[in-house]
Every structure is written in C-alpha cells, then in structure tokens.
Amino acid sequence: MALKITVIGTGYLGATHAAAMAELGFEVLGLDVVPEKIETLQRGEVPMYEPGLRELLGKHVAGIEGSSGRLRFTTDFAEVAAFGDVHFLCVNTPQKHGEYACDMSYVDSALASLAPHLTGPALVVGKSTVPVGSADRLAAYLAEHAPAGDGAELAWNPEFLREGFAVEDTLHPDRLVVGVRSERAERLLREVYATPIEEGSPFVVTDFPTAELVKTAANSFLATKISFINAMAEVCEAAGGDVAKLAEAIGYDDRIGKKFLRAGIGFGGGCLPKDIRAFMARAGELGADQALTFLREIDSVNMRQRGRMVELTRQALGGGPFLGKRVAVLGATFKPDSDDVRDSPALNVAGQVHLQGAQVTVYDPKGMENARRLFPTLGYADSALEAVRGADVVLHLTEWREFRELDPEVLGEAAAARVILDGRNALDPALWRKAGWTYRAMGRPTA
Ligand code: UGA
C-alpha cells in the first residue's frame, strides 16, 4: 500500500511540500493551527506569491473540479496521527525577539500536539531549520510521549528550497539529505522520494547532527559568498575598480563559480539572516563560538550595504539633507519572483531614506500589499512609471525582470532628473546612459 503523508505547518515550506507530495502520487493531509490558512488552501488558493504553487494545489486539492483529490487539510492532530505513515514537520523557526537564537516553540508545540496521538507505527520527519542537537532532543521527547513507543520514530530531512523556485526545488531537489537512526527510517524516506531519486537526485544518508548542520552550513556558505563579493565591492569603490567585472573574472574558475556573486544591497529574507545568527548562537552554546565568529563579519558586511546605498543616494542628490527630495524605489521584496518582504534590503533602504526626510514612492510587481503592511508611511505607486514621476533619483533595489524591460526613454520623460542607482547590479548601464541617464551601481564607481 502506498504511504500516506501528513504535513504539519502549511506556510511557505509546508504548503509547497504538501502539494509536491500529492504531485508525487501520495495521499496527503496538511495541518495548520491557523484555520484561515486551511480555508484558503482548501479553496486551492495560496497565501503567498510563489510561481507554480497555485496550479499545483489546484491540481490536487480535494473538492476542486478536475483535481486528483489527493490533498486535504485539517486543524486536527488526532486526524493527522490516524491518517499518516510519515509526518513532515514544516513549521517555522523565526529569530527570537531580541536574541540571535532561533525560536523553537512552534516545532516543540507541533510535536507535543502530535506525539500523544501516535498509537501505531509512524515516522516523524523534521524539515524545519533548527539548531544542531534539536533532533536528538525531539527524538527523546517522542520516545517518551508517543504511546507507540519504539514504533514512533524521528528522522531529520532539511529543506533547501529557494523562494521563487519552491515547486521546482521540491519536485527536483539537487540533493536529499536524511538524518536517520534506523534502516526502517531510511527505507521509508527512500520510498517517499523514490521519484526524485530515480531522476538522479543524490540521496545523502547521515546522522542527526550532520543533517541539521548541512542546512545551516549551506546557508552560511551562501551568505558568505554574497558578503565576500560585497566586501570586494567596497574595495572596488575605494580603488576605482569594477566589482561586476571582478565577479565575472573570478567566476570562470569553477572552484569559485559564478553563482551568488552578485554585489549590491545584500541578502535578506526569512532565511539567510536569521540562520547565520542562530548558527552563531548555537555554536556559542556548544563552546565552538570561535569557529563561527567570521559569520558576525558576514552579517555586518551585509548590513553595511544598506547604509552604503543610502549614502550613494545622498551623494546623487547633491550630498545635502534628504528633506524635500523625491525618491523613486523600484522593488520592495527581498528578491524577485516573491512577495516576501521579510528583512528586505530594498524596504530597509526605502525606509531609511524616508525617515531622513525624503518623499519616497515604492513600486513592486508582487510585494505591494506586504510592503504597505510593514511600512505604511511610505508612498506607493501602481506602476514603475508612476513611482518615477517627478523623482529626483531612482533606486533599483530588487531585480525584477519587469525593471530590466523598462524603457529608459519613457521613464526619463516622467522623472524630474535622469539619475538611476542600481542596487542590484542588474540593469544594462549602456541602455540607460544612451537615454541620457546618469547610471551608478554599487562597487563600480567608474563603470
Ligand atoms: C535561501 C537558500 O538559497 C535556500 O537554499 C534555502 O533553502 C532557503 O534560504 C531556506 O533556508 O529556506 P531564499 O531565502 O529563498 O533561499 O533566497 P536566496 O535565493 O538564497 O537569496 C537570499 C538573498 O540573497 C536575497 O535577498 C538575494 O537578493 C540576495 N543575493 C543572492 C545577493 O545579494 N546576491 C547574490 O548573488 C545572490
């Protein structure tokens, strides 16, 4: 009989994972403690913008015409326990308020709600990003609280999906990593992931701490790459170099690679910033803090880029105060193809410029609603053209394709001055200059 799968927590990770499991052919029951989220998903709607996810839900959510009916949702842990052979924990682990450490309360409470209902054989699989050592602790909790005793087991299976590519990354992962303590757990997970394994996704089997660490190590490495190139951008600024050329040239060395070397206003979002901080906090608890002190520098290089963008803006406006100046901001989300504005460098820069007295107008293709909620005092426009109307300077802060396709000539007629600052090194300088714009990017003072 085919395995039955449950997914606990239907946020970004959980909603995508649930839909992907249904796509792989399993019967899936998703659970969330927020009834409104369940109601939205039951209608086949997605609470966030993620390419392809709505279509995938529509294809499988029970009750939607023409769907496979393999995907249902509930708020009831007893129902989840009775239904599933494999239970994926997909709740979030945000940064604790006022601390670097991550908040494990959602993971802990999900397991506490599930465990007492596990009366038969079950595999609970953690996917949330957690401090190393958590799986060990949670396994002990499960052993103590599940009536099934040894029949209820834990495994750890970190998730590497990127926002904007969540569906693709879940259905065709570049690797699968599982921390297991028994052959049975490994066998079950091989069964769950049989399709991607057949397609060639490497399947890495390891212990709990290594599986947990793989996730935080991967995100730390990515953050390090970005801050490395941003540090080079700072040196290029000082020395009159061109960081984009530099990145291209070092990227030809395939030990270095081209990816994640785009200099600009740095990384944000719900993962990289909080993950490197939680990793430092955890290393400290383990007495290995020295090993990760470099991440403090990665974090500060990153945060510094936001301030540098504000300074570039000030210079572009003549160097004086921002008071009375009009600033157009293109982009609000932390990256393109997402509506996520959590710790968004773009909104941070927009907010700083606004707080210093400028009149800021923001436009983003998908992030307007979330941005408005977070920063209600900024001005918002319905299009790039409207945002730019009357602006003394234009800031390009999230590299949406829509912005690369803008016509500099048309925008130039609307703007008060033809000055554009590219905070993502993603626009074509030649194109903008041809239309009479002063183009300036980070780390390329002369380019
Ligand atoms: C990140 C990881 O890339 C995923 O592998 C991981 O699964 C995920 O976190 C997670 O932990 O859940 P994501 O947060 O979606 O994914 O975003 P990224 O694509 O990593 O981008 C992060 C930030 O770095 C964005 O603000 C982006 O604009 C910035 N970035 C990226 C740069 O500034 N330069 C680059 O060259 C690349």
Side-chain angles (χ1 to χ4, degrees), residues 331-344:
T333 54
F334 84 104
K335 68 185 234 181
D337 297 315
S338 163
D339 64 356
D340 197 342
V341 298
R342 283 178 295 172
D343 199 4
S344 166

Side-chain angles (χ1 to χ4, degrees), residues 160-161 163 215 219 260 262 267-268 271 334-335 424:
F160 305 105
L161 65 78
E163 292 190 15
K215 170 68 193 217
N219 276 1
F260 266 64
R262 203 166 6 80
F267 59 80
C271 302
F334 84 104
K335 68 185 234 181
R424 290 296 184 181

Side-chain angles (χ1 to χ4, degrees), residues 129 159-165 169 175 215 218-219 222 226 229-230 258-275 302 333-336 343 345 398-399 424:
T129 300
E159 179 57 54
F160 305 105
L161 65 78
R162 298 160 297 169
E163 292 190 15
F165 299 89
D169 286 349
R175 81 284 209 188
K215 170 68 193 217
N219 276 1
L222 294 171
I226 299 168
I229 203 65
N230 282 331
K258 284 189 188 317
K259 290 181 182 161
F260 266 64
L261 285 184
R262 203 166 6 80
I265 54 174
F267 59 80
C271 302
L272 261 43
K274 71 123 171 128
D275 285 357
N302 188 56
T333 54
F334 84 104
K335 68 185 234 181
D343 199 4
T398 312
E399 67 279 31
R424 290 296 184 181

Side-chain angles (χ1 to χ4, degrees), residues 346-384:
L347 265 193
N348 181 299
V349 169
Q352 287 194 53
V353 171
H354 163 71
L355 290 171
Q356 291 186 38
Q359 198 180 319
V360 177
T361 309
V362 180
Y363 167 72
D364 187 279
K366 296 284 177 200
M368 299 290 273
E369 210 179 301
N370 288 340
R372 258 201 199 101
R373 209 172 300 136
L374 196 67
F375 260 111
T377 51
L378 294 173
Y380 292 93
D382 291 336
S383 68

Side-chain angles (χ1 to χ4, degrees), residues 100-102 130-133 213 216 220 275-296:
Y100 269 13
C102 99
V130 296
V132 60
L213 283 169
T216 33
S220 298
D275 285 357
I276 61 171
R277 291 172 195 154
F279 201 16
M280 283 186 268
R282 184 60 185 141
E285 288 168 7
L286 293 168
D289 43 341
Q290 266 192 325
L292 296 188
T293 46
F294 76 96
L295 286 179
R296 203 173 292 276

Side-chain angles (χ1 to χ4, degrees), residues 221-222 224-226 228-229 232 243-262:
F221 193 83
L222 294 171
T224 301
K225 263 192 119 172
I226 299 168
F228 174 83
I229 203 65
M232 293 306 112
V243 74
K245 273 276 173 255
L246 182 144
E248 181 197 341
I250 62 173
Y252 287 123
D253 182 336
D254 60 15
R255 293 171 303 175
I256 296 172
K258 284 189 188 317
K259 290 181 182 161
F260 266 64
L261 285 184
R262 203 166 6 80

